Amino acid sequence: QSEFDTYTDELFEEEVTLNTIALHYTLADPAAYGINDYEISLGSVTDESLSESVTMLENMRSSLDDFSYPALRDDQQLTYDILDDYSKLELDNAKLYLYSEVLQPSTGTHTQLPVLLAEYTFRCEKDVTDYLELLSLLPSYFDEIIQFEKSKANAGLFMSKQNADTVISQCQDFIENPKSCFLIETFDNRIESLSTLSTSAKEEYRSQNETYVLKKIIPAYKNLAAAIEELKDSGSNKGGLCNYEDGKDYYEYLVTGSSDSIKDLQKQVEQKRKEDLLQLSELLTKNPILAKESESYQLDTSDPSQILAQLKETIKKDFPEAPDANFTVKYVDEALEDYLSPAFYLTSPIDDYKENSIYINEGSHYEKMKLFTTLAHEGFPGHLYQNVFANTSGLPSVRQLLNYSGYTEGWATYVEMISYQYAGLDKDLAKVLQLNQSILLSLYTSMDMGIHYQGWDASDVKNFLSDYGISNASAANDTYEYILGEPANYLKYYIGYLKFLDLQKYAKKALSENYTDRAFHEAVLRIGPAPFDIIKKYLLDYIPKSGK
């Protein structure tokens, strides 16, 4: 048991130091974890780095085999099962690495990196010097991305022309006004608050940052746009992943956390949609005025901070109380509004979980229930709450590095659906709004699988939506283009949501009258991000026998 703890700690240190941004967002004080010397790096997408990753995974499998599973503690067996599943999955799919895309229109490196840099916290002078070195490395990192995209093109796997045009436009918009780049202003603000630095040192660092932004960051984005412009006509596939030789296999790999086949998932989504449509019809038949009220209702407040404070208090009857944490609501820079998610939560370090940031993209035009449920998704009891709970539940540090987006986004969608009842609306009206959202997400999820697994084109999407009374041709085409560039994105949310509902049904059946929502929620939070089959294996052990 002691050796297993040592192994997972060493594995964590080895993995977290591969990318300095990941290290910074994972640990506020690396030295407290014995991490004092590390190479400054943005990561790598070279063939050599892939080979090193495969070797690391093979070593993980070999190391796991050396441990006696029955001799481990229960919590260690949980970690073992997760690492075992993770390493097998990644090794089995390593050969498909050229199918991955680092320049996805919404979640790509070129759109995410500016926000991560703008939010890079300066706690000490080393943070500043690390940050500036990261800026200096960005041109060579983008060169690696360009070479990766060329390898994809040579293999016939380059993105569609539409997605390429989007990436080019995103890069051009970011560099349109270099001297007004928000990476200059945000740096100035952060360094000003660092009291340990002298005025002259701050000025010197400000000057260095501006030079790097203008001489390194802007040219790197310009070069990336030019490279994609050169390659954009090499994309032979105008449709979904299934049109590639191993595209279906890669798509199945992207569905993190679920072992069900795509065909089974399609049936589950269709069944849930039928149930929701029936329930919605019954509510509207019983009380026709709900249709009008769903357009005219008003909430008590539209202030994001007030909504989050309200949610934090209201959820206590259904969710365990998490340690106190602060939050700041921020807004996406106007230059990135068209490209970033409608909202997102920036994960706080595991050793400094009390300071959290939630970003709202005003370009998404939030109002009324959309704002309320989005803040529930990103804040309480969504991502912020789940992250804080995980950081104080004793999860091994290595598990913080494993990305199970089916769990994290599934949890946030599951609690988003619950949050409708917290908005202070009539119960039936809240249910109508919630059912509408569930049905809408199910449509997106079916289209995602239709495009990438069945080969739907834009006309198929249009026809599918028309079956549900949605006839806006422009909206149908925009949806098709978005899903084309973000394969399996909607599955993280909706399939994850359905899997939490399945876990809840399982717990209710097993515990009968001893079941409570609060105990169920605490159990899945204490287990933490993992494949859903593994969560189910341990679920009842994490729920107190009394259910309380």
Side-chain angles (χ1 to χ4, degrees):
Q1 293 174 3
S2 175
E3 289 174 358
F4 187 78
D5 286 339
T6 299
Y7 166 68
T8 56
D9 287 345
E10 291 173 348
L11 185 60
F12 169 73
E13 181 177 344
E14 182 179 9
E15 288 281 345
V16 78
T17 52
L18 293 176
N19 182 314
T20 306
I21 291 183
L23 171 63
H24 187 76
Y25 276 90
T26 303
L27 294 176
D29 184 12
Y33 286 73
I35 301 173
N36 295 296
D37 297 314
Y38 48 87
E39 180 182 355
I40 307 301
S41 172
L42 285 163
S44 179
V45 291
T46 63
D47 289 342
E48 182 182 0
S49 66
L50 170 70
S51 178
E52 291 173 354
S53 295
V54 169
T55 300
M56 188 175 290
L57 289 166
E58 290 172 341
N59 290 339
M60 185 188 300
R61 296 225 45 76
S62 177
S63 297
L64 290 173
D65 287 341
D66 288 340
F67 291 101
S68 170
Y69 184 82
L72 299 177
R73 300 188 309 268
D74 290 346
D75 62 301
Q76 291 177 322
Q77 290 181 354
L78 171 60
T79 299
Y80 184 105
D81 287 345
I82 294 170
L83 292 175
D84 182 59
D85 177 89
Y86 171 80
S87 58
K88 284 179 180 177
L89 180 67
E90 295 300 317
L91 279 173
D92 288 346
N93 291 278
K95 63 183 181 296
L96 302 176
Y97 78 101
L98 281 177
Y99 283 82
S100 65
E101 182 56 78
V102 295
L103 299 178
Q104 290 176 310
S106 181
T107 59
T109 297
H110 63 298
T111 60
Q112 299 289 312
L113 190 57
V115 176
L116 293 174
L117 290 172
E119 280 294 302
Y120 196 100
T121 307
F122 294 160
R123 301 180 181 90
C124 61
E125 186 171 9
K126 179 164 175 52
D127 288 337
V128 179
T129 56
D130 284 358
Y131 175 88
L132 291 170
E133 189 168 347
L134 285 170
L135 296 191
S136 73
L137 295 173
L138 196 136
S140 60
Y141 179 59
F142 271 26
D143 286 343
E144 288 186 9
I145 291 177
I146 291 170
Q147 187 55 53
F148 179 72
E149 294 296 337
K150 288 179 178 179
S151 297
K152 285 172 65 72
N154 291 335
L157 298 173
F158 190 68
M159 69 183 77
S160 68
K161 185 177 183 299
Q162 302 98 304
N163 284 345
D165 284 335
T166 299
V167 171
I168 294 165
S169 176
Q170 290 169 336
C171 292
Q172 290 174 340
D173 286 351
F174 179 66
I175 64 178
E176 186 176 8
N177 298 300
K179 291 192 176 182
S180 299
C181 179
F182 64 86
L183 290 181
I184 296 176
E185 180 183 354
T186 56
F187 182 91
D188 291 349
N189 292 338
R190 281 174 289 158
I191 202 164
E192 183 59 37
S193 62
L194 198 57
S195 59
T196 55
L197 288 179
S198 65
T199 300
S200 60
K202 289 178 181 179
E203 285 303 318
E204 184 177 342
Y205 283 135
R206 282 194 185 99
S207 175
Q208 189 175 353
N209 174 68
E210 184 171 353
T211 299
Y212 279 175
V213 169
L214 298 178
K215 302 296 184 182
K216 293 184 179 292
I217 306 302
I218 301 301
Y221 271 84
K222 185 176 181 179
N223 290 341
L224 181 61
I228 301 303
E229 179 71 41
E230 259 186 54
L231 294 169
K232 74 176 184 179
D233 292 322
S234 62
S236 57
N237 178 19
K238 297 180 180 180
L241 287 172
C242 59
N243 294 320
Y244 295 121
E245 182 179 356
D246 297 313
K248 285 188 175 183
D249 290 340
Y250 182 69
Y251 187 68
E252 289 176 329
Y253 159 72
L254 289 178
V255 186
T256 59
S258 174
S259 59
D260 294 345
S261 69
I262 299 297
K263 289 182 179 179
D264 283 342
L265 293 177
Q266 286 176 315
K267 291 177 183 177
Q268 293 167 30
V269 172
E270 290 169 7
Q271 180 60 35
K272 176 61 174 168
R273 184 161 60 244
K274 288 178 182 178
E275 294 171 0
D276 286 349
L277 285 166
L278 178 60
Q279 192 173 0
L280 180 61
S281 176
E282 290 173 345
L283 280 168
L284 294 176
T285 300
K286 175 184 174 183
N287 189 2
I289 199 174
L290 288 172
K292 184 178 180 180
E293 289 180 346
S294 68
E295 299 292 335
S296 61
Y297 71 92
Q298 295 293 329
L299 298 183
D300 292 338
T301 179
S302 60
D303 180 83
S305 295
Q306 288 182 17
I307 291 172
L308 285 165
Q310 174 188 337
L311 282 164
K312 186 178 181 182
E313 186 64 29
T314 309
I315 67 173
K316 290 179 180 179
K317 65 182 191 316
D318 298 317
F319 296 85
E321 187 166 357
D324 201 21
N326 302 318
F327 58 84
T328 303
V329 176
K330 300 182 179 181
Y331 294 90
V332 170
D333 189 271
E334 190 174 346
L336 297 173
E337 283 184 354
D338 292 340
Y339 313 119
L340 287 178
S341 302
F344 54 91
Y345 162 69
L346 278 181
T347 306
S348 60
I350 61 179
D351 56 341
D352 187 22
Y353 64 83
K354 291 192 174 183
E355 299 300 326
N356 299 269
S357 295
I358 292 176
Y359 270 88
I360 294 178
N361 186 342
E362 291 188 296
S364 297
H365 307 294
Y366 282 108
E367 58 183 13
K368 298 201 296 188
M369 188 57 79
K370 185 179 180 184
L371 176 62
F372 187 92
T373 57
T374 295
L375 290 170
H377 183 109
E378 304 297 342
F380 300 96
H383 290 311
L384 189 159
Y385 171 85
Q386 183 263 320
N387 183 68
V388 170
F389 205 96
N391 286 342
T392 56
S393 293
L395 295 185
S397 300
V398 71
R399 289 191 51 198
Q400 304 280 8
L401 302 181
L402 305 182
N403 180 25
Y404 285 103
S405 55
Y407 175 100
T408 54
E409 296 299 351
W411 167 264
T413 305
Y414 165 79
V415 299
E416 174 188 333
M417 296 300 175
I418 294 174
S419 73
Y420 282 82
Q421 66 183 277
Y422 299 144
L425 298 177
D426 170 78
K427 181 180 179 182
D428 285 347
L429 175 58
K431 190 62 180 178
V432 165
L433 296 170
Q434 183 265 312
L435 288 169
N436 270 323
Q437 178 65 359
S438 178
I439 292 165
L440 184 62
L441 282 176
S442 79
L443 293 175
Y444 286 134
T445 304
S446 288
M447 287 186 284
D448 199 317
M449 292 185 282
I451 292 167
H452 290 291
Y453 203 77
Q454 293 178 277
W456 289 9
D457 59 18
S459 63
D460 292 318
V461 167
K462 181 180 177 182
N463 292 336
F464 173 75
L465 289 174
S466 68
D467 289 341
Y468 293 90
I470 303 172
S471 56
N472 187 319
S474 176
N477 188 67
D478 289 346
T479 299
Y480 174 74
E481 294 295 342
Y482 176 84
I483 293 175
L484 203 61
E486 298 280 347
N489 188 51
Y490 280 112
L491 274 67
K492 295 184 296 187
Y493 297 83
Y494 199 72
I495 298 300
Y497 164 54
L498 296 187
K499 292 305 172 187
F500 273 103
L501 292 180
D502 288 343
L503 289 171
Q504 188 179 44
K505 290 177 184 176
Y506 169 70
K508 284 182 177 180
K509 184 177 180 180
L511 297 172
S512 188
E513 68 276 3
N514 288 323
Y515 171 86
T516 66
D517 285 343
R518 185 184 176 98
F520 168 70
H521 294 150
E522 182 169 356
V524 293
L525 287 166
R526 287 177 57 217
I527 290 172
F532 288 103
D533 287 346
I534 293 177
I535 295 172
K536 185 176 181 180
K537 174 182 175 182
Y538 288 88
L539 181 60
L540 298 182
D541 293 335
Y542 276 74
I543 298 178
K545 299 303 179 185
S546 64
K548 304 299 182 184

